[in-house]
Amino acid sequence: MTRIEWHWVERFAEQFERCGLRAEESVVVLAETASRPELVETAWLAAQSAGASCARVTVPTPPNRGPVAIRSTGASVAIQGHAPTVAALQAADFVVDCTVEGLLHSPELGDVLESGTRILMISNEHPETFERMVHDSGLAERVALGKRWLSEASTMHVSSGHGTDLTVDLTGAFRAGSHGFTDQPGDIAHWPGGLVLAFPAAGTVNGTIVMAPGDVNLTFKEYVRSEVRLTIVDDHITAVDGPRSGGGVDADLFASYLASFGEPEAYATSHVGWGMNTGARWDALPLTDKGQTNGTEIRAFAGNFLYSTGANEVAGRFCRGHFDLPMRHCTVTLDGRAVVVDGSLVPELSPDSHTPASSIPDSSTPGDRPS
């Protein structure tokens, strides 16, 4: 196991304090056998440093049924309905969730939150990620504003110079925002935070998504090198195409992975939204090994449009397959009101002095590509 650095513990303790952790409270650090050991140990030491009454619960990581490696499901299945584990979480004031995929969409989450337990879901990242992403005192307010605008809107439209043209009917959608901490009973937050998302109702997403070089496939933990064009009809991807000039390995890999699950839910929309975290970096991926990151930082970098496939409770769809696809240089509007313009947050949602990572010039402009 990697040596635990005390400054990691201090950073985690600061985050727990923002979640209202007090010495008289009870804490459960939840892990599974495949959890990152240094993450679990750092969380454990940080919770103890607050003087809280602490316990660990570690459950077995379920086997992979195949046929492909699973690197992103969007929801932990580690608890598997185990009643004593659920009871332990319900009895805690504060749960530090260190499972690999997190409890955010797990089947047991509702029962745990109904007990009044609050949960901080820590993304499966190397602790260094949390160390350098310092607290942004204005993020909560900006996320709340973005969520309010999303909640008031009836339609989201996404476009780009690369050819993205997507329309989302927000009727019946679940709208959410996370800024990385929660101090409210019966609530959950994920850390790092900085996302505003909608989980659309069934049959409400239509259009075209074009992933361009530099956009990110976070299931593969790779930047795409060649165009991937997705045709979406009534939520479902009906075609995956590469560049018209040929050589579309990224598209071939994408299509092969989707087909491997053998179920239509793998092709469906999970959630759509945009990143708000000005401390998160688009260019972080080359600086970490694939085993050191789950990519939450890149999901949250300011100004990205995030499209995801797979499980969506609102639409009644569940699937192990899950793609998170953060894209640069998109424009996102809500009933015509811009929230992201060509990959940059509008001023109301971004600190004035910050230059988003997504504003770094793209090495491939739409004019460089076949039309």
Side-chain angles (χ1 to χ4, degrees):
M1 184 177 73
T2 303
R3 172 183 170 177
I4 305 303
E5 301 286 351
W6 183 249
H7 44 264
W8 297 347
V9 177
E10 291 178 318
R11 181 69 187 92
F12 276 49
E14 290 171 0
Q15 200 70 11
F16 296 170
E17 183 179 358
R18 293 189 178 92
C19 292
L21 181 58
R22 303 184 304 277
E24 63 269 22
E25 290 190 302
S26 60
V27 178
V28 167
V29 177
L30 175 67
E32 59 184 292
T33 49
S35 291
R36 193 182 304 279
E38 58 268 33
L39 203 62
V40 178
E41 190 65 21
T42 301
W44 173 253
L45 292 172
Q48 285 192 308
S49 73
S53 173
C54 300
R56 296 197 207 199
V57 173
T58 303
V59 296
T61 298
N64 180 2
R65 306 191 307 269
V68 292
I70 303 294
R71 294 294 179 265
S72 181
T73 64
S76 175
V77 294
I79 296 177
Q80 299 192 83
H82 188 246
T85 298
V86 174
L89 302 182
Q90 290 173 322
D93 296 304
F94 183 51
V95 169
V96 184
D97 174 16
C98 295
T99 58
V100 175
E101 290 288 345
L103 298 180
L104 190 58
H105 305 295
S106 69
E108 300 85 4
L109 178 63
D111 289 338
V112 175
L113 294 181
E114 283 179 4
S115 71
T117 300
R118 65 191 189 280
I119 301 173
L120 180 64
M121 185 182 106
I122 299 182
S123 182
N124 189 36
E125 315 287 343
H126 190 280
E128 183 268 347
T129 299
F130 304 95
E131 176 188 356
R132 62 183 171 77
M133 291 183 66
V134 297
H135 177 64
D136 178 350
S137 60
L139 182 59
E141 182 179 352
R142 298 196 304 275
V143 167
L145 177 59
K147 181 184 175 183
R148 179 164 64 83
W149 286 355
L150 181 62
S151 298
E152 294 169 350
S154 59
T155 303
M156 174 188 291
H157 183 255
V158 186
S159 61
S160 78
H162 295 285
T164 293
D165 185 2
L166 186 74
T167 300
V168 181
D169 179 354
L170 294 170
T171 304
F174 175 76
R175 336 289 171 99
S178 177
H179 49 76
F181 62 91
T182 179
D183 57 3
Q184 299 299 311
D187 194 19
I188 185 171
H190 63 76
W191 186 39
L195 280 166
V196 176
L197 297 172
F199 291 79
T204 58
V205 184
N206 291 276
T208 302
I209 285 176
V210 181
M211 297 188 68
D215 293 338
V216 191
N217 182 328
L218 278 177
T219 297
F220 295 168
K221 297 183 175 65
E222 293 179 348
Y223 300 97
V224 301
R225 309 289 176 171
S226 58
E227 180 180 288
V228 180
R229 182 178 294 266
L230 308 176
T231 303
I232 300 168
V233 179
D234 292 339
D235 308 339
H236 290 74
I237 297 170
T238 59
V240 180
D241 298 302
R244 293 180 176 88
S245 57
V249 174
D250 288 302
D252 290 346
L253 287 170
F254 192 101
S256 177
Y257 192 78
L258 282 178
S260 70
F261 293 97
E263 52 187 346
E265 290 80 6
Y267 292 83
T269 300
S270 175
H271 53 78
V272 293
W274 69 91
M276 296 277 293
N277 194 326
T278 56
R281 297 194 61 89
W282 159 78
D283 56 5
L285 201 56
L287 305 175
T288 56
D289 294 334
K290 286 188 177 184
Q292 290 183 319
T293 182
N294 197 40
T296 300
E297 175 178 7
I298 300 174
R299 290 171 176 86
F301 78 79
N304 87 79
F305 167 64
L306 181 64
Y307 176 78
S308 300
T309 67
N312 178 348
E313 303 98 308
V314 177
R317 295 190 293 259
F318 301 91
C319 176
R320 291 189 306 147
H322 183 66
F323 275 118
D324 273 325
L325 309 170
M327 288 170 265
R328 302 184 299 162
H329 306 298
C330 291
T331 294
V332 181
T333 63
L334 304 173
D335 291 346
R337 186 216 303 261
V339 292
V340 176
V341 178
D342 192 25
S344 294
L345 293 170
V346 296
E348 298 95 323
L349 300 180
S350 177
D352 293 340
S353 60
H354 183 266
T355 300
S358 59
S359 67
I360 298 170
D362 194 350
S363 61
S364 173
T365 64
D368 296 331
R369 302 130 65 85
S371 60

